[in-house]
Amino acid sequence: MADGDAKPLSKPRRRRPGRAVTIEDVARVAGVSKGTVSRVLNGHDWVSPKTRQAVAEAMASTGFVANASARSLATSRTGNIAFVLGAPPVRLFEDPNYAVLLQVITEELAQLDYALMLLTASTREEQARVAKFVREGHVDGVILVLVGEAGTDELISLLRSSRIPAIACGHPFVGDDPLPFVAADDTPGARQLARHFLARGYRSTAVIASHLETSGGKSRVAAFTGEAPGLVRDDLIIEAHEYSRAAGQHAMRTLLETRPDIDSVFAASDLLAAGAIDALHEARIVVPRQIAVAGFDDSAIAQQTDPQLTTVRQSVADVARQLVAQLRIGLDAGVMASVTVPTQLVVRESA
Amino acid sequence: MADGDAKPLSKPRRRRPGRAVTIEDVARVAGVSKGTVSRVLNGHDWVSPKTRQAVAEAMASTGFVANASARSLATSRTGNIAFVLGAPPVRLFEDPNYAVLLQVITEELAQLDYALMLLTASTREEQARVAKFVREGHVDGVILVLVGEAGTDELISLLRSSRIPAIACGHPFVGDDPLPFVAADDTPGARQLARHFLARGYRSTAVIASHLETSGGKSRVAAFTGEAPGLVRDDLIIEAHEYSRAAGQHAMRTLLETRPDIDSVFAASDLLAAGAIDALHEARIVVPRQIAVAGFDDSAIAQQTDPQLTTVRQSVADVARQLVAQLRIGLDAGVMASVTVPTQLVVRESA
DNA sequence: CTGTTAGCGCGTTCAC
DNA sequence: GTGAACGCGCTAACAG
């Protein structure tokens, strides 16, 4: 053989054993080109039924699965959305609302074929990590859940400077150029509740608040007291250190020791209210006859207390849905808007 | 001009305005080649200090950020780990343990520079989606948290057939070829607790169990009753429908109505125990003098009840750490092992 | 309707 | 020590 050319001819290695089957393998088996395979893979038109059929069979017989990274590189879309927590996860899990939030978001996103990435950003380093992560192009969009934590504004501006759509859950507390957000408007529900208290004839109500540094924590109390100025004396507003049942119980005990002259209490969350009821039970006080109790959130626990809680429903599920709806607009290169979902009184037995 | 060749010469588009800065841009600015930039980017040796310096400056001045997809494609590593839930999230959030699990896993993983992807697999479709997701190469590893759900074995075998390391949290219930797992061994703690009851002189204890279809649910009860056969009569084992406070309260009420002759109760979770104590309080029964109560988990609530709970500590944090430790071995192409972390009696006031 | 070809951005041998 | 060139697997624009 006249094999004068010693150049190591490009080895036609059919397929390294360990390697995954690629679009090219499928093409060979189906007797078509890569381009065509790509077309049927993405459901594009302009492919004859029989070719499509042949490709489909080839894909099945070879056990082909499209490679995510290659796809992302070519399309510059990842199919991932970041769920960024502005607080350590434990804090988040205290509140049953977040379980629903996460679940609904996951579901809605899955329906659009997006997957969720869970990131925490409660410290400076974590925030930097998140910012980098986002700019590296790991995700197509961001949902930011800040539980009123400090130092969030840096993250937000970093997010803004990146190209990808980001939306906040709850009011982002930044002066200059806030993110679009979705938040529940506590005001209408809290007002309705205040009027309900008035209608019931209560004369003196205490408020167990929490996280007064957040918009949510503030507005509930403000709207309630604003609607019924005479009902709540300033010194009857007590702040629990967290939205937990234990904290509610503790607060109520304190209240009972120092202010026995109240006939009703408004707790800024159902968990707080449940704790308050616990304390009232301890003290052999009948709810609502001697002291009425109302909560906020209408979370699952509202129907598990005895008596069941009169409360204000903020549909976290709706918030979640609005969140993805806006995000979807953003992903579609549209301009996202901020949306406020209303909140509503739910009268049960405790007040 | 002798422009006979009408072929549209490859347009030398310098850089489309919207495009991100690439390794090539950095190379140009630094006056080196792509290869060199790549080397300093990955901290490889064989780069002179001054070149390294120049490249670093170029990266800074251009605002370069490495593209994740391109990197994944080239290295076939994504830096992502999937956290797969075998049950709907709400179910998961009922149990405070999972909050810790998620948090610790996130932290540990972040330290290794891995990010978490949250996937649910409580239905057949979701399981299929997860399997596909994994095989598309979205993640480098999988942590499977099945809360004793059915139909999980398919997912597991799909996972096995894929190349990537997967580890289960809790015993995977499959006959043929189970995944390596990390689980708490409830036995020692439950036994210690039984002996503690014996030592305290209790004569008749009721058991509030739950999720008896899971290994965890089963083994706690089995170990306890096994260690103190005479203590628990068969008809004194009652099953709550979930690990919640309300369910515990309900169960305890039932117990009080039908079996007033007990002097102690062992609840298979702290939440259950807390509920039992609630019911006991209602009935004006003093804990532990009249009826002693013990829980399981040593979750946060164990110190918030009155009296504080005697319970069994299963360190979820340790489980989480072992989980990523094993996963790390798997990612390193090593062979993962199953690990069992022990559990231990914690005596407080309630029993 | 289908094949060809040129990227997508980075890692990585090889020569030099 | 450094540069050149190819490969990763897929999409998309264009030619036919």
Side-chain angles (χ1 to χ4, degrees):
Chain A
M1 293 87 107
D3 193 356
D5 195 355
K7 175 185 68 181
L9 61 154
S10 58
K11 32 212 146 125
R13 55 148 185 277
R14 274 298 167 234
R15 207 147 84 48
R16 268 172 286 164
R19 245 173 80 283
V21 14
T22 77
I23 187 184
E24 184 154 13
D25 301 323
V26 176
R28 193 180 316 121
V29 172
V32 298
S33 74
K34 289 173 20 178
T36 303
V37 175
S38 175
R39 258 160 286 195
V40 342
L41 190 56
N42 297 299
H44 287 188
D45 294 337
W46 262 233
V47 186
S48 78
K50 46 183 299 195
T51 321
R52 180 184 304 281
Q53 172 69 13
V55 172
E57 281 168 8
M59 297 208 297
S61 75
T62 54
F64 170 80
V65 185
N67 177 298
S69 308
R71 214 168 211 188
S72 297
L73 181 55
T75 59
S76 54
R77 286 186 0 105
T78 64
N80 299 151
I81 299 295
F83 185 92
V84 181
L85 261 46
V90 275
R91 170 97 173 268
L92 182 137
F93 286 80
E94 278 168 15
D95 190 335
N97 280 324
Y98 287 108
V100 179
L101 186 68
L102 237 187
Q103 168 158 27
V104 176
I105 288 181
T106 307
E107 285 173 1
E108 296 279 307
L109 245 30
Q111 218 157 312
L112 302 179
D113 245 301
Y114 277 97
L116 242 213
M117 307 209 60
L118 196 58
L119 306 177
T120 59
S122 49
T123 68
R124 276 269 183 281
E125 301 87 56
E126 287 181 341
Q127 292 182 14
R129 177 191 296 286
V130 169
K132 183 179 171 223
F133 192 82
V134 169
R135 300 208 324 219
E136 286 177 332
H138 278 105
V139 296
D140 298 336
V142 174
I143 295 177
L144 198 50
V145 182
L146 5 73
V147 192
E149 221 62 27
T152 322
D153 29 345
E154 269 189 48
L155 214 201
I156 292 182
S157 60
L158 282 173
L159 243 32
R160 290 212 72 98
S161 68
S162 82
R163 290 296 192 162
I164 83 158
I167 190 160
C169 176
H171 280 89
F173 275 123
V174 283
D176 49 344
D177 192 11
L179 249 34
F181 64 87
V182 174
D185 181 7
D186 296 334
T187 308
R191 285 200 181 135
Q192 287 175 37
L193 181 61
R195 287 198 294 273
H196 175 71
F197 269 35
L198 256 15
R200 282 279 210 258
Y202 305 144
R203 317 291 307 188
S204 173
T205 117
V207 174
I208 302 178
S210 189
H211 293 219
L212 282 174
E213 76 283 7
T214 69
S215 69
K218 226 170 0 196
S219 65
R220 295 173 188 190
V221 176
F224 184 91
T225 58
E227 189 74 10
L231 206 54
V232 182
R233 289 215 320 271
D234 280 355
D235 60 335
L236 281 177
I237 299 179
I238 184 172
E239 183 171 7
H241 71 288
E242 58 174 23
Y243 283 126
S244 72
R245 187 165 185 161
Q249 186 173 23
H250 181 74
M252 190 69 236
R253 283 180 188 148
T254 311
L255 232 28
L256 286 176
E257 286 168 13
T258 60
R259 327 286 326 179
D261 52 332
I262 57 174
D263 59 17
S264 50
V265 4
F266 164 43
S269 95
D270 287 345
L271 240 28
L272 250 23
I277 290 182
D278 290 339
L280 257 15
H281 280 177
E282 278 175 7
R284 320 235 147 288
I285 293 177
V286 180
V287 179
R289 228 196 46 229
Q290 296 174 274
I291 295 187
V293 176
F296 209 106
D297 290 345
D298 194 27
S299 52
I301 200 174
Q303 307 191 47
Q304 296 169 4
T305 55
D306 177 27
Q308 297 193 349
L309 283 178
T310 286
T311 183
V312 173
R313 171 178 304 151
Q314 59 154 296
S315 173
V316 187
D318 285 337
V319 170
R321 274 186 284 268
Q322 292 289 350
L323 236 19
V324 287
Q326 289 304 318
L327 196 55
R328 191 179 180 179
I329 294 177
L331 292 171
D332 230 48
V335 31
M336 299 185 288
S338 293
V339 359
T340 294
V341 332
T343 190
Q344 184 185 1
L345 175 64
V346 177
V347 177
R348 281 198 272 260
E349 305 155 2
S350 71
Chain B
M1 296 89 107
D3 194 356
D5 195 354
K7 176 184 66 179
L9 62 153
S10 56
K11 27 205 150 134
R13 57 149 181 278
R14 274 293 166 238
R15 208 148 85 47
R16 270 172 284 163
R19 244 173 82 284
V21 13
T22 78
I23 187 184
E24 183 153 14
D25 301 322
V26 176
R28 193 179 315 121
V29 172
V32 298
S33 75
K34 289 173 19 177
T36 303
V37 176
S38 176
R39 256 158 271 178
V40 342
L41 189 55
N42 298 298
H44 287 191
D45 295 337
W46 260 234
V47 186
S48 77
K50 46 183 298 194
T51 322
R52 180 185 304 282
Q53 172 69 14
V55 172
E57 279 168 9
M59 298 208 294
S61 76
T62 55
F64 169 80
V65 185
N67 177 297
S69 308
R71 216 164 206 191
S72 298
L73 181 55
T75 59
S76 53
R77 285 188 0 105
T78 64
N80 298 152
I81 299 294
F83 185 92
V84 180
L85 261 44
V90 275
R91 171 99 172 268
L92 184 138
F93 287 79
E94 280 169 13
D95 190 335
N97 280 324
Y98 286 109
V100 179
L101 186 67
L102 239 188
Q103 168 159 27
V104 176
I105 288 181
T106 307
E107 286 173 359
E108 296 279 308
L109 246 30
Q111 217 157 312
L112 303 179
D113 245 300
Y114 277 97
L116 243 212
M117 308 211 58
L118 197 58
L119 306 176
T120 60
S122 49
T123 68
R124 276 268 183 282
E125 302 86 58
E126 288 181 340
Q127 292 182 15
R129 178 192 296 284
V130 170
K132 184 181 171 221
F133 191 82
V134 169
R135 300 210 321 223
E136 286 177 332
H138 277 105
V139 297
D140 298 336
V142 174
I143 295 177
L144 198 51
V145 183
L146 3 73
V147 192
E149 220 63 26
T152 321
D153 28 348
E154 270 188 47
L155 213 201
I156 291 182
S157 59
L158 283 173
L159 243 33
R160 290 212 73 97
S161 68
S162 82
R163 291 298 191 159
I164 83 156
I167 190 160
C169 177
H171 280 89
F173 274 123
V174 284
D176 48 344
D177 193 12
L179 248 35
F181 63 87
V182 174
D185 181 8
D186 295 335
T187 308
R191 284 199 182 137
Q192 288 175 36
L193 181 61
R195 286 198 293 274
H196 175 71
F197 270 36
L198 255 16
R200 281 279 209 258
Y202 304 146
R203 318 289 309 187
S204 173
T205 116
V207 175
I208 301 178
S210 189
H211 293 218
L212 282 174
E213 76 283 6
T214 68
S215 68
K218 223 170 1 195
S219 64
R220 295 172 188 192
V221 177
F224 184 90
T225 58
E227 188 74 10
L231 205 56
V232 181
R233 288 215 320 272
D234 281 355
D235 61 334
L236 281 179
I237 300 178
I238 185 172
E239 184 171 7
H241 70 287
E242 58 174 24
Y243 283 126
S244 72
R245 187 166 186 159
Q249 186 172 25
H250 181 75
M252 191 69 236
R253 283 179 186 149
T254 311
L255 231 31
L256 286 176
E257 286 168 13
T258 60
R259 326 287 325 180
D261 53 331
I262 56 174
D263 59 15
S264 50
V265 2
F266 165 43
S269 94
D270 287 344
L271 242 26
L272 250 24
I277 289 182
D278 290 340
L280 257 16
H281 280 177
E282 279 175 6
R284 322 234 148 289
I285 293 176
V286 180
V287 180
R289 227 196 45 228
Q290 296 174 274
I291 294 188
V293 176
F296 209 106
D297 289 344
D298 193 27
S299 51
I301 200 175
Q303 308 192 47
Q304 297 170 2
T305 57
D306 178 26
Q308 296 193 350
L309 282 178
T310 286
T311 184
V312 173
R313 172 179 304 152
Q314 59 154 298
S315 172
V316 188
D318 284 338
V319 170
R321 273 185 285 267
Q322 292 288 349
L323 236 18
V324 323
Q326 289 303 317
L327 195 55
R328 191 178 179 183
I329 294 177
L331 292 171
D332 229 46
V335 31
M336 298 185 289
S338 293
V339 359
T340 293
V341 332
T343 187
Q344 183 185 3
L345 175 64
V346 177
V347 178
R348 282 197 270 262
E349 305 155 2
S350 71

